[in-house]
Structure formats: structure tokens, C-alpha cells
């Protein structure tokens, strides 16, 4: 961990709500004039899109699991190296995984390359003079026998819906955006489950704050759900690992977020539609204290 070069890691699978928390941090950084080095977790995948398909086919023939959740498909060593270097000197290397043709056009214009969607950009230096490193992805607090990314993180934030809701969101996204069949999506969920249990779930015990979305409608069979529960059909459970360390002012938060309440001494519940607001109200004072500590 580093007071001079702090690292904020937001961990959660795609569709879990990481976009909402990323937007909350963007608003905080903008309002406070904070220059952040933004790191996307996908950039530390081991394989590009085509190579991953080949590796998955090989793994299937060998009767072993391979998924983006596990170490075989990721460079945890390089992620830990980045976090360590940034904490020590505010420097490091980054690259981007290109998700779409529009992203390819942007990076090709910037770098003079001819890359396509599904490929990585070359490694390049982080921008100079940043105030904080902000990571958003699957493995911001991952720990394995070989690598310990979590030890370098100054503020860890977990974003995770209850498991049935996460599956509903994945089923709808993969069907609508990628055209996958229901059977193919279920196969993917089953294949990823061992790595999810071993490498994703444990991170939420290491985070400083967890935002967990819980639906108030029936999600007992996610494979027949007709639509994704809306924010107004949800509550968000906010768990603070150490409220005293984070200087959480619960009476103030309860007064600011209408219809919120405490369910345990370290746990707040807020309406799902107020998730973004709750994130900004909670996180901004924490980030400002981190910035103040840099100047001491």
C-alpha cells in the first residue's frame, strides 16, 4: 500500500454494476480535480479473442476447465507488478484489450496501428503525474499461491449482485449483445463456476466496501426469467469491512440517502435506484482523505 501513490481497485464481474461505480469515481475525480491512471482488467488477460477460443477448445479436449476467471487465462503476475511499481514510484506499464471496432479505430488513430477488435494494444507507459491508479475488472484483489495483488491495494471496492441476479444479467447480455443461445450461456456459467468459487468470490472478503444488489422480485430460476429486475425492484446492501478505519458517518449517510437503513452495525441498505448516489456520497470523503494523505 502507498500513501504517496494510492491504488483503488473495483472488483466485480461484467454486468455486476462495475460501470455504475466506475462512473461514480469518474464524477469524484472530475469534481476534485484528481488525475487518475485508469486500468481495465481485461488488459491483463493472457490470450486475445482468437487465441482464447483455441485454448478453450484445447482445454475441452483435455477435460479441464478454462475461463477468464482463473489464473490460466490471466497474467496476475503482471497485474501485481503494475500495482507494486505504481505504489513505489507512480509508474508502470499498461495496454488495452480492444472490445469493438470503434475502440479499434480510436487506438489505431492514437498509435498508428492496424489492430482489430479482440486484440491487445502494445504495452505503453502510464501517463506521468497521476494522483491515483484506478483499476476496474475481475481481479483487483486476487490472491493465489504465486501472486498477491490485494496487498498493494489502498481501497478495495466489490460490486456483486446475488448469484441468481448475476446469472440473469449474463443470460440477457450474452443473448442480446452476442447472440448466444440459452444452452451455450448455461454451458459457460457451468464452465466458469470452479474458477468463480476459487478466484472471484474470495476477493469480496478482502474488499473495504461491498455493494451487493438484491432483487425484490422472484429470481429463483434465472434460466426462465423474462427480464432483468430494474433498480427500483432492488435493494443494495453496502457492507463496510472496518467503518472506523474508513471514518464512516452512518447518521450522515442515513440522512442523505432517503429510505436507507442499517441492517447490521457495519451494513447499510439503500434503494436500488439510489446506488449511484450512495456510491458518490460514501466514496468521495474517502478519496479526499487519501489525497490529503499524499500531501503530508
Amino acid at each position: 500500500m502507498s500513501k504517496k501513490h494510492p491504488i483503488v481497485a473495483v472488483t466485480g464481474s461484467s454486468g455486476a454494476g462495475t460501470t455504475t461505480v466506475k462512473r461514480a469515481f469518474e464524477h469524484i475525480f472530475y469534481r476534485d480535480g484528481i488525475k487518475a491512471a485508469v486500468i481495465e482488467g481485461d488488459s491483463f488477460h493472457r490470450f486475445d479473442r482468437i487465441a482464447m477460443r483455441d485454448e478453450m477448445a484445447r482445454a475441452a479436449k483435455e477435460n479441464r476447465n478454462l475461463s477468464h476467471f482463473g489464473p490460466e487465462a490471466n497474467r496476475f503476475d503482471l497485474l501485481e507488478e503494475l500495482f507494486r511499481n505504481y505504489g513505489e514510484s507512480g509508474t508502470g506499464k499498461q495496454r488495452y484489450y480492444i472490445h469493438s471496432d470503434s475502440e479499434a479505430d480510436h487506438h489505431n488513430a492514437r498509435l498508428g496501428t492496424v489492430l482489430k477488435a479482440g486484440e491487445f494494444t502494445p504495452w505503453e507507459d502510464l501517463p506521468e503525474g497521476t494522483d491515483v491508479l484506478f483499476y476496474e475488472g475481475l481481479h483487483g484483489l486476487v490472491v493465489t499461491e504465486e501472486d498477491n495483488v490485494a496487498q498493494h491495494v489502498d481501497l478495495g471496492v466489490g460490486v456483486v449482485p446475488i448469484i441468481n441476479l448475476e446469472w440473469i444479467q449474463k443470460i440477457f447480455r450474452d443473448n442480446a449483445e452476442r447472440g448466444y443461445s440459452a444452452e451455450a450461456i448455461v454451458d459457460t456459467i457451468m464452465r466458469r463456476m470452479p474458477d468463480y468459487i476459487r478466484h472471484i468470490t474470495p476477493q469480496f472478503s478482502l474488499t473495504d466496501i461491498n455493494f451487493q444488489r438484491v432483487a425484490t422480485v422472484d429470481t429463483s430460476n434465472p434460466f426462465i426469467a423474462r427480464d432483468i429486475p430494474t433498480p427500483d425492484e432492488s435493494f443494495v446492501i453496502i457492507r463496510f469491512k472496518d467503518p472506523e478505519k474508513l471514518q464512516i458517518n452512518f447518521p450522515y449517510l442515513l440522512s442523505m440517502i432517503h429510505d436507507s437503513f442499517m441492517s447490521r452495525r457495519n451494513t447499510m441498505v439503500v434503494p436500488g435506484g439510489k446506488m449511484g448516489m450512495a456510491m458518490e456520497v460514501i466514496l468521495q470523503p474517502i478519496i479526499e482523505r487519501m489525497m490529503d494523505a499524499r500531501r503530508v
Side-chain angles (χ1 to χ4, degrees):
M1 295 186 179
S2 169
K3 287 186 176 180
K4 186 66 175 177
H5 306 290
I7 296 171
V8 175
V10 176
T11 291
S13 57
S14 179
T18 52
T19 301
T20 303
V21 72
K22 182 178 180 181
R23 188 177 301 116
F25 274 107
E26 288 173 347
H27 293 167
I28 293 167
F29 295 155
Y30 176 78
R31 284 195 297 266
D32 286 354
I34 296 169
K35 184 178 179 182
V38 179
I39 301 298
E40 300 173 355
D42 289 353
S43 62
F44 288 87
H45 289 333
R46 189 179 299 272
F47 308 109
D48 64 21
R49 188 175 295 169
I50 293 175
M52 185 62 176
R53 289 172 182 166
D54 293 340
E55 290 295 325
M56 287 174 60
R58 184 177 298 112
K61 290 180 180 178
E62 296 171 358
N63 293 316
R64 59 183 174 87
N65 284 318
L66 177 68
S67 79
H68 280 127
F69 290 162
E72 291 185 9
N74 292 281
R75 294 299 305 269
F76 295 160
D77 57 333
L78 295 182
L79 180 58
E80 182 179 5
E81 180 182 335
L82 169 63
F83 280 17
R84 181 189 302 110
N85 289 342
Y86 189 86
E88 292 174 353
S89 62
T91 61
K93 295 286 187 178
Q94 68 172 344
R95 67 178 178 179
Y96 297 91
Y97 177 82
I98 302 174
H99 296 89
S100 64
D101 291 339
S102 61
E103 288 186 15
D105 292 341
H106 167 74
H107 289 296
N108 286 333
R110 183 176 65 86
L111 298 169
T113 51
V114 287
L115 299 166
K116 302 185 294 295
E119 298 179 340
F120 296 106
T121 65
W123 291 101
E124 54 189 302
D125 291 331
L126 291 177
E128 295 184 359
T130 57
D131 302 305
V132 61
L133 185 146
F134 177 81
Y135 168 96
E136 183 260 321
L138 289 169
H139 300 110
L141 291 102
V142 73
V143 177
T144 68
E145 292 182 0
E146 294 79 20
D147 306 295
N148 186 340
V149 175
Q151 66 180 322
H152 304 287
V153 174
D154 297 273
L155 177 66
V157 179
V159 188
V160 54
I162 58 171
I163 192 69
N164 281 15
L165 179 55
E166 182 167 350
W167 288 348
I168 290 172
Q169 293 178 157
K170 176 171 179 55
I171 291 166
F172 272 79
R173 186 201 64 195
D174 285 2
N175 179 262
E177 297 180 10
R178 303 175 182 177
Y180 294 171
S181 67
E183 293 77 12
I185 298 168
V186 172
D187 286 345
T188 299
I189 290 172
M190 295 294 291
R191 175 173 49 81
R192 288 180 170 183
M193 189 52 60
D195 283 335
Y196 188 93
I197 293 169
R198 294 189 187 103
H199 303 292
I200 303 300
T201 303
Q203 295 182 75
F204 300 119
S205 296
L206 302 175
T207 47
D208 296 292
I209 308 173
N210 278 341
F211 295 87
Q212 183 176 37
R213 187 173 161 215
V214 178
T216 57
V217 296
D218 184 12
T219 62
S220 53
N221 186 347
F223 305 109
I224 64 168
R226 295 183 178 180
D227 49 32
I228 300 173
T230 67
D232 289 335
E233 294 174 323
S234 310
F235 282 107
V236 177
I237 316 299
I238 308 171
R239 189 272 297 170
F240 302 87
K241 185 176 183 180
D242 188 344
E244 289 75 22
K245 174 187 173 184
L246 297 176
Q247 301 180 38
I248 301 300
N249 186 337
F250 286 116
Y252 170 74
L253 295 177
L254 293 170
S255 69
M256 287 292 292
I257 306 169
H258 186 61
D259 290 334
S260 62
F261 60 92
M262 303 291 297
S263 61
R264 288 189 174 180
R265 59 165 293 278
N266 65 339
T267 306
M268 281 184 63
V269 181
V270 305
K274 299 217 170 56
M275 180 175 176
M277 174 191 174
M279 289 176 171
E280 295 193 35
V281 171
I282 291 167
L283 294 168
Q284 181 152 348
I286 297 172
I287 294 299
E288 290 174 349
R289 284 192 289 272
M290 292 174 66
M291 294 300 103
D292 290 341
R294 295 184 69 234
R295 303 183 184 100
V296 175

